[in-house]
Amino acid sequence: MTSISAKHGLLTEMGERLGVVLDNEFEALAKKNLPLLESLQSQKVELLSEIESSWQNSPIPDKGDSSFQYLKSLIERCREKHIRNDILLRKQIDE
């Protein structure tokens, strides 16, 4: 069985990759680069699926653990980036 710290490490690595994909998605949206955007969408969906699967199979974390707190803040930053990208996309659709 995988240790809690190993699971958190894996989730952290995937969360950081998701953050990079979301930043690249924002740039692709800003430049209206549809081929790149489609590729990034595929990467994003794959990462979200992997994160969900790993999270569901992860032991219950100690909410006071610093690695859990970092992971939680990382996921929150990804959520904020997703919202930012959604706002830009909606503005472009309304143009």
Side-chain angles (χ1 to χ4, degrees):
M1 183 164 181
T2 308
S3 72
I4 292 174
S5 62
K7 269 294 187 189
H8 282 184
L10 177 63
L11 285 164
T12 298
E13 187 261 325
M14 287 188 287
E16 289 170 347
R17 285 182 18 224
L18 179 61
V20 169
V21 168
L22 289 166
D23 286 339
N24 291 339
E25 179 184 65
F26 182 77
E27 291 177 27
L29 282 166
K31 294 177 182 175
K32 299 182 181 180
N33 184 339
L34 295 179
L36 178 57
L37 187 58
E38 288 177 6
S39 170
L40 292 168
Q41 289 288 313
S42 296
Q43 291 175 45
K44 181 173 72 171
V45 168
E46 183 179 320
L47 276 169
L48 286 169
S49 177
E50 289 176 22
I51 290 169
E52 179 183 32
S53 175
S54 291
W55 191 269
Q56 288 175 349
N57 297 323
S58 188
I60 297 172
D62 173 8
K63 294 189 183 348
D65 183 300
S66 64
S67 66
F68 175 75
Q69 291 302 321
Y70 176 76
L71 180 58
K72 184 177 170 185
S73 70
L74 178 62
I75 297 300
E76 179 60 29
R77 286 192 308 273
C78 287
R79 180 181 168 274
E80 291 167 0
K81 289 177 181 186
H82 172 72
I83 291 169
R84 171 199 66 190
N85 294 357
D86 186 57
I87 290 169
L88 178 57
L89 179 60
R90 289 175 190 272
K91 283 182 181 179
Q92 289 178 344
I93 290 171
D94 290 340
E95 289 179 349

Short mmCIF file of all heavy atoms in Angstrom, two decimals, residues 56-80:
data_model
loop_
_atom_site.label_atom_id
_atom_site.label_comp_id
_atom_site.label_asym_id
_atom_site.label_seq_id
_atom_site.Cartn_x
_atom_site.Cartn_y
_atom_site.Cartn_z
N GLN A 56 -9.33 9.67 -4.67
CA GLN A 56 -10.30 8.71 -4.15
C GLN A 56 -9.61 7.50 -3.53
O GLN A 56 -10.14 6.89 -2.61
CB GLN A 56 -11.25 8.25 -5.25
CG GLN A 56 -12.23 9.32 -5.66
CD GLN A 56 -13.11 8.91 -6.82
OE1 GLN A 56 -12.86 7.91 -7.48
NE2 GLN A 56 -14.13 9.70 -7.09
N ASN A 57 -8.44 7.14 -4.05
CA ASN A 57 -7.70 5.99 -3.53
C ASN A 57 -6.68 6.36 -2.47
O ASN A 57 -5.88 5.53 -2.07
CB ASN A 57 -7.00 5.27 -4.69
CG ASN A 57 -7.98 4.70 -5.69
OD1 ASN A 57 -9.04 4.22 -5.32
ND2 ASN A 57 -7.65 4.79 -6.96
N SER A 58 -6.72 7.60 -2.04
CA SER A 58 -5.75 8.09 -1.06
C SER A 58 -6.28 7.87 0.36
O SER A 58 -7.47 7.98 0.61
CB SER A 58 -5.53 9.59 -1.30
OG SER A 58 -4.49 10.08 -0.53
N PRO A 59 -5.36 7.56 1.29
CA PRO A 59 -5.79 7.44 2.69
C PRO A 59 -6.32 8.78 3.19
O PRO A 59 -5.97 9.83 2.66
CB PRO A 59 -4.52 7.06 3.43
CG PRO A 59 -3.47 6.84 2.42
CD PRO A 59 -3.96 7.34 1.11
N ILE A 60 -7.15 8.75 4.21
CA ILE A 60 -7.70 9.98 4.78
C ILE A 60 -6.55 10.79 5.36
O ILE A 60 -5.79 10.31 6.19
CB ILE A 60 -8.74 9.66 5.86
CG1 ILE A 60 -9.92 8.91 5.24
CG2 ILE A 60 -9.21 10.92 6.55
CD1 ILE A 60 -10.92 8.36 6.23
N PRO A 61 -6.40 12.04 4.88
CA PRO A 61 -5.25 12.85 5.32
C PRO A 61 -5.48 13.47 6.69
O PRO A 61 -6.61 13.66 7.14
CB PRO A 61 -5.19 13.95 4.26
CG PRO A 61 -6.61 14.10 3.81
CD PRO A 61 -7.21 12.73 3.89
N ASP A 62 -4.38 13.80 7.34
CA ASP A 62 -4.41 14.60 8.56
C ASP A 62 -4.48 16.05 8.12
O ASP A 62 -3.54 16.56 7.51
CB ASP A 62 -3.14 14.32 9.38
CG ASP A 62 -3.02 15.24 10.59
OD1 ASP A 62 -3.97 15.98 10.89
OD2 ASP A 62 -1.95 15.20 11.23
N LYS A 63 -5.58 16.69 8.37
CA LYS A 63 -5.80 18.05 7.85
C LYS A 63 -4.79 19.07 8.38
O LYS A 63 -4.64 20.13 7.82
CB LYS A 63 -7.23 18.49 8.14
CG LYS A 63 -8.24 17.66 7.37
CD LYS A 63 -9.61 18.21 7.48
CE LYS A 63 -10.71 17.44 6.81
NZ LYS A 63 -10.47 16.41 5.93
N GLY A 64 -4.08 18.73 9.44
CA GLY A 64 -3.05 19.63 9.97
C GLY A 64 -1.70 19.41 9.34
O GLY A 64 -0.77 20.19 9.53
N ASP A 65 -1.56 18.34 8.55
CA ASP A 65 -0.29 18.00 7.90
C ASP A 65 0.08 19.09 6.89
O ASP A 65 -0.74 19.51 6.08
CB ASP A 65 -0.46 16.65 7.21
CG ASP A 65 0.81 16.16 6.56
OD1 ASP A 65 1.33 16.87 5.67
OD2 ASP A 65 1.27 15.06 6.91
N SER A 66 1.33 19.55 6.93
CA SER A 66 1.75 20.63 6.03
C SER A 66 1.69 20.23 4.56
O SER A 66 1.37 21.07 3.71
CB SER A 66 3.16 21.11 6.39
OG SER A 66 4.09 20.07 6.20
N SER A 67 1.96 18.96 4.24
CA SER A 67 1.87 18.55 2.83
C SER A 67 0.43 18.56 2.36
O SER A 67 0.15 18.90 1.21
CB SER A 67 2.51 17.17 2.61
OG SER A 67 1.79 16.16 3.27
N PHE A 68 -0.50 18.21 3.25
CA PHE A 68 -1.91 18.29 2.88
C PHE A 68 -2.33 19.74 2.69
O PHE A 68 -3.06 20.07 1.75
CB PHE A 68 -2.80 17.62 3.94
CG PHE A 68 -4.27 17.79 3.65
CD1 PHE A 68 -4.88 17.04 2.65
CD2 PHE A 68 -5.03 18.70 4.36
CE1 PHE A 68 -6.22 17.21 2.37
CE2 PHE A 68 -6.37 18.86 4.08
CZ PHE A 68 -6.97 18.12 3.09
N GLN A 69 -1.87 20.63 3.55
CA GLN A 69 -2.22 22.05 3.43
C GLN A 69 -1.67 22.62 2.13
O GLN A 69 -2.35 23.40 1.45
CB GLN A 69 -1.69 22.84 4.64
CG GLN A 69 -2.39 22.52 5.93
CD GLN A 69 -3.89 22.76 5.88
OE1 GLN A 69 -4.35 23.72 5.28
NE2 GLN A 69 -4.65 21.87 6.49
N TYR A 70 -0.45 22.24 1.76
CA TYR A 70 0.13 22.70 0.50
C TYR A 70 -0.70 22.18 -0.67
O TYR A 70 -1.01 22.92 -1.60
CB TYR A 70 1.59 22.26 0.35
CG TYR A 70 2.17 22.64 -0.98
CD1 TYR A 70 2.53 23.95 -1.25
CD2 TYR A 70 2.30 21.69 -2.01
CE1 TYR A 70 3.04 24.32 -2.49
CE2 TYR A 70 2.80 22.06 -3.25
CZ TYR A 70 3.16 23.37 -3.49
OH TYR A 70 3.65 23.72 -4.72
N LEU A 71 -1.04 20.91 -0.63
CA LEU A 71 -1.85 20.30 -1.70
C LEU A 71 -3.19 21.00 -1.81
O LEU A 71 -3.65 21.30 -2.92
CB LEU A 71 -2.03 18.81 -1.42
CG LEU A 71 -2.84 18.01 -2.43
CD1 LEU A 71 -2.24 18.11 -3.83
CD2 LEU A 71 -2.91 16.55 -1.98
N LYS A 72 -3.81 21.28 -0.70
CA LYS A 72 -5.10 21.97 -0.69
C LYS A 72 -4.98 23.35 -1.33
O LYS A 72 -5.81 23.76 -2.15
CB LYS A 72 -5.61 22.07 0.75
CG LYS A 72 -6.97 22.68 0.89
CD LYS A 72 -7.40 22.67 2.34
CE LYS A 72 -8.64 23.50 2.54
NZ LYS A 72 -9.01 23.61 3.95
N SER A 73 -3.92 24.10 -0.98
CA SER A 73 -3.73 25.43 -1.56
C SER A 73 -3.40 25.35 -3.04
O SER A 73 -3.82 26.20 -3.83
CB SER A 73 -2.66 26.22 -0.80
OG SER A 73 -1.38 25.69 -1.02
N LEU A 74 -2.67 24.31 -3.44
CA LEU A 74 -2.35 24.11 -4.85
C LEU A 74 -3.62 23.86 -5.67
O LEU A 74 -3.81 24.47 -6.73
CB LEU A 74 -1.39 22.93 -4.99
CG LEU A 74 -0.97 22.52 -6.40
CD1 LEU A 74 -0.22 23.64 -7.10
CD2 LEU A 74 -0.10 21.27 -6.32
N ILE A 75 -4.49 23.02 -5.16
CA ILE A 75 -5.75 22.74 -5.86
C ILE A 75 -6.62 24.00 -5.90
O ILE A 75 -7.27 24.27 -6.92
CB ILE A 75 -6.49 21.55 -5.19
CG1 ILE A 75 -5.66 20.27 -5.30
CG2 ILE A 75 -7.88 21.37 -5.78
CD1 ILE A 75 -5.34 19.81 -6.71
N GLU A 76 -6.60 24.79 -4.85
CA GLU A 76 -7.37 26.03 -4.84
C GLU A 76 -6.83 27.01 -5.89
O GLU A 76 -7.60 27.66 -6.59
CB GLU A 76 -7.33 26.68 -3.45
CG GLU A 76 -8.09 27.99 -3.35
CD GLU A 76 -9.57 27.90 -3.67
OE1 GLU A 76 -10.19 26.83 -3.45
OE2 GLU A 76 -10.13 28.91 -4.15
N ARG A 77 -5.50 27.09 -6.04
CA ARG A 77 -4.92 27.96 -7.07
C ARG A 77 -5.32 27.48 -8.46
O ARG A 77 -5.61 28.28 -9.35
CB ARG A 77 -3.39 28.02 -6.93
CG ARG A 77 -2.94 28.87 -5.75
CD ARG A 77 -1.46 29.18 -5.78
NE ARG A 77 -0.59 28.03 -5.94
CZ ARG A 77 -0.12 27.28 -4.95
NH1 ARG A 77 -0.46 27.55 -3.70
NH2 ARG A 77 0.69 26.26 -5.18
N CYS A 78 -5.35 26.16 -8.65
CA CYS A 78 -5.79 25.61 -9.95
C CYS A 78 -7.25 25.97 -10.21
O CYS A 78 -7.62 26.32 -11.33
CB CYS A 78 -5.61 24.09 -9.99
SG CYS A 78 -3.89 23.57 -10.13
N ARG A 79 -8.06 25.91 -9.18
CA ARG A 79 -9.47 26.28 -9.31
C ARG A 79 -9.58 27.75 -9.75
O ARG A 79 -10.36 28.09 -10.64
CB ARG A 79 -10.19 26.06 -7.99
CG ARG A 79 -11.65 26.42 -8.01
CD ARG A 79 -12.29 26.17 -6.63
NE ARG A 79 -13.58 26.77 -6.55
CZ ARG A 79 -13.84 28.02 -6.23
NH1 ARG A 79 -12.85 28.84 -5.91
NH2 ARG A 79 -15.07 28.47 -6.18
N GLU A 80 -8.80 28.63 -9.13
CA GLU A 80 -8.82 30.04 -9.47
C GLU A 80 -8.36 30.27 -10.91
O GLU A 80 -8.93 31.11 -11.63
CB GLU A 80 -7.96 30.83 -8.49
CG GLU A 80 -8.55 30.89 -7.10
CD GLU A 80 -7.59 31.39 -6.04
OE1 GLU A 80 -6.42 31.72 -6.37
OE2 GLU A 80 -7.99 31.44 -4.86
#
